[in-house]
Each structure stands twice: as C-alpha cells, then as structure tokens.
C-alpha cells in the first residue's frame, strides 16, 4: 500500500512541477530590488503562518480520538471551531482596520500558539477553548495578512501590477507547496519518529513563534481609512442591499456557501472514513497527496482562465460533478462491498446447508 501512495504522489508531483515550471518561465516581470525584498519578507512570514495552520489539519480528529472522545464529542469540538470562525470573521476585518493590521497578525500568532498548547490536555473543556481560539485565529489568517500586504504595498509606492505577483506566489506557497511539505513533515513527526499526534501542534507553535518574531522586527503598522470605517450593522445592510440588487452576487454566495459546507463536512469525516476500524494510516502523507492534487487543479484552472475567451461556467460544472461523484464514491464502494459479502455468505450457507 505504501508503494501505491508513493507512485501516486510521485506522478502527481511530476505533473505539477512541469506545469509550474512552464508557468514561471512565462510570468517573469522586471521589478525593483526594494520590492523583491518586501515581497520575499512577506512570503517568508506568510509561509510560516500557513505552515502553522496546515500542520494541524491532518491530526485534529486523530488527536481527539486518541484522548478517547467519540464522534459526537469530536463533532461538537469541530462545530465550536467553525462557529467561532464564523462569528469572529464578521468583525475581524473592521477590528484590524481600527486597531492595526500588524497588531492583528501578531494576535493571530499568539491565539494559534495558545490553541496548540491546549492540545496537550485531554480535558474536553480545555480542548473546547482551544477550538474557539483556533477559529478566531483562522479568521485573522485569511483577512489581516492580505489587508496588511495591500496597504503596505501601496504605502511604499510599488507598481500596482506587482501586487498580483506577491499574491500568486503566496497562493503557490501557502496553499500549495507549504501544505504539501507540512503533511510530509507531520507524517515524519508522528509516524517515522513516533513522537505522537500532538507533535505537529508543537511544531506549528514553533513556526508561528518564528513568524511572529519576524513580524515584530521588520513590519510596520498600517490602518484602514478612517473615513471608510463603518459599524457592523451598516456593513450588513450594505451587504444585504448588494445581494438583493444583483442576482449574480446571491448565486455566487450560495455556490460558495455550499462548496464551503461540503469542505467542512469533508474535513470532519475524512479521518474516520479512511480508518473506520481504527486502522493505522499515514495521515500526513495522505493529506500531502490530497494537497498535491489540489495544487494540480489550481495549475489547470489558471491555464483555463488564461485562454482568450474562458467560459468559467462550462468547466466549473464539470468540476462540481466530478467532486460530487468523488465524495459519493466511497459510499457506493462500501454498499457494493457489503452486497458482495452478503452474496458470498449466502452462497456458502447454501452449499453447506447451514452457516459454519
């Protein structure tokens, strides 16, 4: 089975590497040394932040199960984390604009480090606090860093088109390479070195601490435009007006919500689905393979979007159909497998006259 994993991982890696190398050779842009230094600093910090996040993902459910919690209790912990992210995510942008984006990034590091520390406790209440802190941190990760980058980029007077270079590299590293390496590193810590399922959380805390030190030593503070700051109720009213006035915005929101719902369900169920009988599986390596496949999809999507007349809806329909079939496939295989076992038992009983 391990050979199969390595073959699949190697094949996907070769295809992704070829696509990314060809893309890099076409996207070369002349920039200034000052911008390159700024970009590299941000990418280093963002990579450390994403490593701190991705290292935890494959082992959250597994860690809770080793503490003896059942699926129901683990589900409550996951819901607490998702709910915390939902509630805090509605106000985190305004808070970062008012209190400072750099300060919000540091808060992310501190909050997530505390969340990682709680994983050492088998107490349900302590783990619940950790999930709430993790949800808050997730909201900060996907808002404060990008807003700081945009404001700082403009404040330093860099060319506007250079901003897309930083974002594309951040996506490649944060949601691609770093995620894959985090899965492999987590697998090394838990399986190869036998340090236990809490080891990836300790490693994540170390990466976050290093990133926070770089932020404190090299980042300057920036704030949102005071004239554009609005209270939360006003923001909700503006969003409601936008949704009701444009059907496309409402449909896009519905599609995104349904997609995120399926992903959150997948995140919760993938560990018990892969090991229904508590089999030992390489969580980190499977996660790395999954993220490598995700990276392949991103590379293919960027090429489709680069066409002269891209029809996003034409291939996104195919993507959603394939995704739906992929999620249903394990159910189908389990049903077919159970049916075949039942038929085999009936045949055995028929030949013997009674079950043996």
């Amino acid at each position: 089975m391990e050979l199969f994993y390595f073959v699949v991982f190697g094949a996907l890696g070769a295809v992704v590497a070829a696509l990314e190398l060809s893309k890099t050779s076409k996207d070369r842009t002349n920039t200034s040394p000052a911008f390159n230094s700024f970009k590299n600093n941000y990418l280093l910090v963002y990579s450390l932040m994403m490593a701190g996040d991705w290292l935890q993902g494959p082992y959250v459910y597994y860690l809770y199960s080793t503490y003896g919690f059942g699926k129901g209790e683990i589900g409550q912990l996951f819901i607490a984390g998702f709910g915390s992210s939902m509630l805090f995510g509605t106000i985190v942008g305004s808070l970062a604009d008012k209190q400072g984006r750099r300060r919000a990034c540091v808060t992310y590091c501190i909050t997530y480090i505390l969340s990682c520390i709680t994983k050492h406790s088998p107490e349900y209440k302590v783990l619940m606090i950790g999930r709430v802190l993790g949800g808050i941190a997730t909201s900060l990760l996907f808002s404060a860093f990008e807003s700081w980058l945009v404001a700082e980029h403009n404040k330093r007077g860099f060319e506007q088109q250079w901003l897309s270079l930083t974002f594309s590299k951040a996506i490649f590293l944060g949601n691609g390479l770093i995620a894959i390496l985090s899965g492999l590193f987590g697998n090394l810590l838990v399986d190869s070195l036998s340090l236990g399922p809490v080891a990836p959380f300790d490693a994540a805390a170390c990466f976050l601490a290093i990133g926070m030190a770089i932020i404190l030593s090299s980042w300057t503070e920036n704030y949102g435009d005071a004239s554009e700051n609005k209270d939360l109720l006003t923001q909700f009213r503006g969003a409601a007006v936008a949704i009701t006035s444009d059907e496309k915005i409402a449909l896009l929101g519905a599609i995104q919500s349904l997609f995120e719902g399926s992903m959150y369900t997948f995140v919760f169920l993938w560990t018990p689905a892969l090991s229904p009988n508590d089999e030992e599986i390489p969580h980190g390596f499977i996660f790395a393979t999954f993220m490598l496949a995700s990276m392949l999809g991103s590379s293919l999507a960027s090429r489709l979007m680069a066409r002269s007349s891209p029809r996003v809806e034409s291939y996104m329909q195919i993507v959603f159909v394939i995704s739906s079939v992929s999620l249903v496939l394990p159910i189908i295989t389990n049903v077919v497998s159970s049916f075949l076992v039942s038929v085999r038992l009936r045949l055995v009983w028929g030949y013997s006259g009674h079950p043996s």
Side-chain angles (χ1 to χ4, degrees), residues 36 45 75 108 127 193 202 217 219-220 226 249 262 266 282 284 301 303:
N36 290 332
V45 171
Y108 161 79
L127 294 173
L193 299 180
D202 293 336
S217 62
W219 286 24
T220 58
I249 295 178
S262 66
F266 171 80
R303 277 155 178 75

Side-chain angles (χ1 to χ4, degrees), residues 1 13 20 34 36 54 62 71 79 87 95 112 115 118 153 165 167 179 183 211 226 244 291 306 330 343 345 351:
M1 186 62 70
E20 289 298 326
N36 290 332
W54 287 123
Y62 179 51
K71 186 178 293 185
I79 292 172
L87 294 175
L95 288 176
Y112 228 174
S115 177
T118 63
H153 182 98
L165 297 177
F167 274 120
T244 55
M291 292 309 301
V343 170
L345 290 175
Y351 284 124

Side-chain angles (χ1 to χ4, degrees), residues 12 16 180 288-298:
L12 288 173
V16 170
I180 297 168
T289 307
F290 172 78
M291 292 309 301
L292 185 58
S294 176
M295 193 174 176
L296 175 59
S298 298

Side-chain angles (χ1 to χ4, degrees), residues 5 269-277 279 281 283 286:
Y5 287 142
L269 291 176
W270 82 278
T271 298
L274 288 172
S275 54
N277 299 314
E279 300 93 339
I281 60 172
H283 294 82
I286 294 174

Side-chain angles (χ1 to χ4, degrees), residues 143-255:
S143 58
F145 288 89
E146 292 182 357
S147 60
W148 179 89
L149 170 65
V150 173
E152 196 68 18
H153 182 98
N154 294 331
K155 185 171 71 175
R156 299 192 184 197
F158 296 132
E159 295 289 337
Q160 195 64 33
Q161 61 267 27
W162 294 352
L163 188 60
S164 63
L165 297 177
T166 308
F167 274 120
S168 63
K169 291 293 184 182
I171 293 173
F172 169 75
L173 290 172
N175 292 324
L177 186 61
I178 296 301
I180 297 168
L181 293 177
S182 296
L184 296 176
F185 185 52
N187 203 86
L188 173 68
L189 294 174
V190 176
D191 294 333
S192 300
L193 299 180
S194 301
L195 296 179
V198 78
F201 297 92
D202 293 336
C206 293
F207 285 126
L208 293 168
I210 295 171
M212 182 172 64
I214 298 174
I215 292 173
L216 292 172
S217 62
S218 61
W219 286 24
T220 58
E221 189 62 274
N222 61 55
Y223 301 87
D225 189 345
S227 62
E228 297 180 358
N229 287 337
K230 302 176 181 178
D231 60 79
L232 189 59
L233 184 59
T234 302
Q235 294 179 41
F236 275 113
R237 286 175 179 170
V241 171
I243 292 172
T244 55
S245 61
D246 191 341
E247 182 185 32
K248 293 181 179 179
I249 295 178
L251 291 174
L252 179 61
I255 293 172

